[in-house]
Amino acid sequence: MFTNIYFLKQLIMATFNVPTRANVSETNQAVFDKLEKGLGFVPNLYATLALNETALPDYLAYQNRKSTLKAKDKEVVNLVASQINECAYCLAAHTAIGQMNGFTEEQILEIRRGEVNFDAKVAALATFVKATVINRGKPAAAATEALFAAGYTQANLVDIILLISDITVTNYLHGVTQVPIDFPAAQPLEVAAAA
């Protein structure tokens, strides 16, 4: 069985090479240039979206839509969903982004567990996202009530659901393609819990 898993992983990795600027359409080349200018590089997962003519610009437009959520709220959603979906790529990327937005490494580990002790509002959001992702869009009423009691609005709830769908796209894309992670690796949660 382990041989089959190893073979499957090698087959997937061999099938999905990260495209370079020269390998993508002119439309996607323009997006690559914009990413290079803004981020300093084109993340491998974004580059993989460019295997399709419209997926990368469409995804970025969706990801960058106006939202009622603050940057820290977005990272809570991204970290919890990526942990549940076991996406090492997105955990690495959003750990880095979470730290840039002011979360400490310890806080990020709490968020990833969905068991936050450092802030009641963050705890309500993490609990709601965890319940929503685990239960495939059907969180317990108590999780939704706690979200509203913490100060989130119905408009925020819509944005939270849209953000869960956004991060799920990249979680799944990495799960299938296993493109190389080009962010510092996130600390494994099991090791963090034992420390």
Side-chain angles (χ1 to χ4, degrees), residues 67-83:
S67 175
T68 61
L69 299 175
K70 296 177 182 167
K72 279 186 146 183
D73 294 331
K74 291 179 180 181
E75 291 317 307
V76 171
V77 176
N78 289 329
L79 286 162
V80 172
S82 295
Q83 183 64 51

Side-chain angles (χ1 to χ4, degrees), residues 150-174:
Y152 289 97
T153 66
Q154 290 180 350
N156 296 145
L157 177 110
V158 171
D159 279 332
I160 292 164
I161 299 302
L162 289 173
L163 188 53
I164 290 171
S165 74
D166 166 0
I167 194 66
T168 300
V169 168
T170 53
N171 289 170
Y172 284 15
L173 184 61
H174 188 260

Side-chain angles (χ1 to χ4, degrees), residues 9-17 177:
K9 261 191 161 174
Q10 293 305 313
L11 179 64
I12 289 170
M13 292 173 80
T15 304
F16 291 96
N17 293 319
T177 64

Side-chain angles (χ1 to χ4, degrees), residues 86-101:
E86 299 177 356
C87 181
Y89 189 101
C90 294
L91 284 171
H94 290 286
T95 293
I97 297 168
Q99 289 172 335
M100 288 189 292
N101 280 290

Side-chain angles (χ1 to χ4, degrees), residues 22-143:
N23 303 121
V24 299
S25 69
E26 285 185 31
T27 301
N28 284 323
Q29 286 178 354
V31 177
F32 274 36
D33 293 344
K34 202 171 180 185
L35 288 167
E36 185 76 42
K37 184 177 179 185
L39 300 175
F41 74 113
V42 178
N44 285 340
L45 208 50
Y46 284 173
T48 303
L49 284 164
L51 290 168
N52 176 283
E53 174 68 26
T54 60
L56 179 59
D58 289 350
Y59 177 77
L60 291 173
Y62 185 62
Q63 184 181 60
N64 294 315
R65 62 175 283 283
K66 187 175 179 181
S67 175
T68 61
L69 299 175
K70 296 177 182 167
K72 279 186 146 183
D73 294 331
K74 291 179 180 181
E75 291 317 307
V76 171
V77 176
N78 289 329
L79 286 162
V80 172
S82 295
Q83 183 64 51
I84 292 165
N85 290 327
E86 299 177 356
C87 181
Y89 189 101
C90 294
L91 284 171
H94 290 286
T95 293
I97 297 168
Q99 289 172 335
M100 288 189 292
N101 280 290
F103 286 122
T104 67
E105 191 171 325
E106 294 76 23
Q107 290 171 334
I108 287 171
L109 293 172
E110 284 187 30
I111 291 166
R112 287 173 52 196
R113 284 187 199 97
E115 300 169 3
V116 175
N117 295 309
F118 65 89
D119 182 286
K121 190 169 183 179
V122 172
L125 177 57
T127 299
F128 175 79
V129 173
K130 184 176 182 180
T132 300
V133 175
I134 288 172
N135 295 302
R136 295 182 289 175
K138 298 177 185 83

